[in-house]
């Protein structure tokens, strides 16, 4: 087994029982509904998980389909999703994306990277997560700030941006793990391999990790 496989196997076991990331929860609760996965991922950027989850819940209570959400005013969407980060920009993206899904895609969330990337506010992170969670893709890796940071600390990649990390991970990670990289590393990043003061002493992969760039760790 390669080091990367060993790390991912250990993390897969270690995260059992830990709080799942907000979008994973929403996906599980909605039977992988692509629309709700798309919108909650758009809301999640630079926002803490509990805030994302609460804002998504309020928004979906008001509208559950692209058509009904496109009919909400921007001001209403803003009020519903506040206090997610950049709630003004996100409310515009949500409304515009819903309108385009209705007008250009017949009300169905697209199932290809190329089409998803044409929607306002949708980047590769969001598109990859929709493809993995809602369209059961096994060909994508979703990279957010946690995946980017931890992959570099583990020495799997040496990259400056999440997009570079995504491409490098396709070469570094065995294919069978691709759809699960996000879940494993995001959960680990929220609980153990935190941005500052990572808990290396409590980390199940400490012996396999060169801790690149880590200067100060938590006491426990
Ligand atoms: S040993 Fe430290 S740096 Fe490496 S994955 Fe664990 S918490 Fe992160």
């Amino acid at each position: 087994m390669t080091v990367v496989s060993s790390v991912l196997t250990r993390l897969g076991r270690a995260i059992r029982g830990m709080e799942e990331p907000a979008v994973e929860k929403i996906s599980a609760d909605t039977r992988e509904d692509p629309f709700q996965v798309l919108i909650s991922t758009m809301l999640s950027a630079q926002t803490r998980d509990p805030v994302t989850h609460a804002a998504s819940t309020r928004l979906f209570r008001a509208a559950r389909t692209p058509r009904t959400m496109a009919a909400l005013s921007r001001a209403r969407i803003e009020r519903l999703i506040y206090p997610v980060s950049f709630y003004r920009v996100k409310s515009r993206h949500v409304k515009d994306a819903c309108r385009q899904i209705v007008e250009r895609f017949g009300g169905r969330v697209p199932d290809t990277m190329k089409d998803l990337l044409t929607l306002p506010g949708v980047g590769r992170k969001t598109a990859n997560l929709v493809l993995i969670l809602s369209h059961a893709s096994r060909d994508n890796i979703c990279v957010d700030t946690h995946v980017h940071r931890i992959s570099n600390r583990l020495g799997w990649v040496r990259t400056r941006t999440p997009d570079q990390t995504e491409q490098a991970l396709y070469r570094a990670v065995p294919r069978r793990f691709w759809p699960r990289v996000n879940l494993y590393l995001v959960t680990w990043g929220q609980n153990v391999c935190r941005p500052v003061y990572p808990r290396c002493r409590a980390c199940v992969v400490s012996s396999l990790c060169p801790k690149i760039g880590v200067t100060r760790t938590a006491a426990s």
Side-chain angles (χ1 to χ4, degrees):
M1 200 188 275
T2 64
V3 174
V4 175
S5 299
S6 298
V7 167
L8 288 167
T9 302
R10 284 190 199 182
L11 293 185
R13 281 193 213 114
I15 64 165
R16 284 182 204 150
M18 285 182 176
E19 183 93 353
E20 282 193 321
V23 177
E24 296 273 347
K25 258 193 237 165
I26 289 165
S27 174
D29 291 347
T30 62
R31 298 190 184 177
E32 294 91 31
D33 174 41
F35 179 61
Q36 296 194 43
V37 170
L38 173 76
I39 299 297
S40 56
T41 308
M42 288 169 75
L43 299 187
S44 72
Q46 298 186 49
T47 300
R48 290 187 313 109
D49 257 29
V51 176
T52 299
H53 194 269
S56 303
T57 305
R58 284 193 300 274
L59 183 59
F60 296 139
R61 231 180 260 140
R64 271 179 201 278
T65 66
R67 198 173 299 276
T68 52
M69 200 170 284
L72 298 178
S73 70
R74 260 190 65 192
R76 175 108 194 267
I77 297 173
E78 263 182 31
R79 283 198 299 277
L80 288 164
I81 67 174
Y82 180 86
V84 300
S85 311
F86 309 111
Y87 62 94
R88 287 203 179 92
V89 179
K90 287 179 183 173
S91 67
R92 176 159 46 82
H93 285 158
V94 164
K95 186 169 168 69
D96 291 349
C98 288
R99 206 179 53 229
Q100 294 201 22
I101 291 169
V102 172
E103 290 173 0
R104 295 172 44 221
F105 299 104
R108 297 173 71 88
V109 173
D111 61 0
T112 66
M113 173 65 74
K114 185 167 157 277
D115 285 342
L116 282 163
L117 290 178
T118 65
L119 296 173
V122 175
R124 290 194 65 87
K125 182 191 88 167
T126 300
N128 275 318
L129 207 52
V130 170
L131 292 172
I132 291 166
L133 293 180
S134 297
H135 297 301
S137 170
R138 308 196 63 76
D139 300 328
N140 299 77
I141 297 177
C142 174
V143 175
D144 73 342
T145 55
H146 292 293
V147 176
H148 174 61
R149 177 182 74 254
I150 299 172
S151 301
N152 275 280
R153 283 177 174 173
L154 284 160
W156 295 353
V157 301
R158 291 183 67 174
T159 51
R160 288 174 180 276
T161 68
D163 282 356
Q164 289 173 0
T165 299
E166 183 194 338
Q167 298 312 319
L169 285 177
Y170 289 125
R171 295 188 288 275
V173 174
R175 201 179 175 94
R176 69 181 186 283
F177 288 107
W178 288 5
R180 286 174 284 159
V181 167
N182 185 270
L183 171 64
Y184 290 5
L185 296 193
V186 172
T187 309
W188 208 241
Q190 289 174 341
N191 291 278
V192 181
C193 193
R194 303 175 300 205
V196 290
Y197 296 109
R199 300 174 58 211
C200 297
R201 287 182 181 82
C203 182
V204 293
V205 297
S206 190
S207 62
L208 303 173
C209 179
K211 306 172 188 63
I212 291 169
V214 174
T215 49
R216 305 181 76 172
T217 64
S220 63

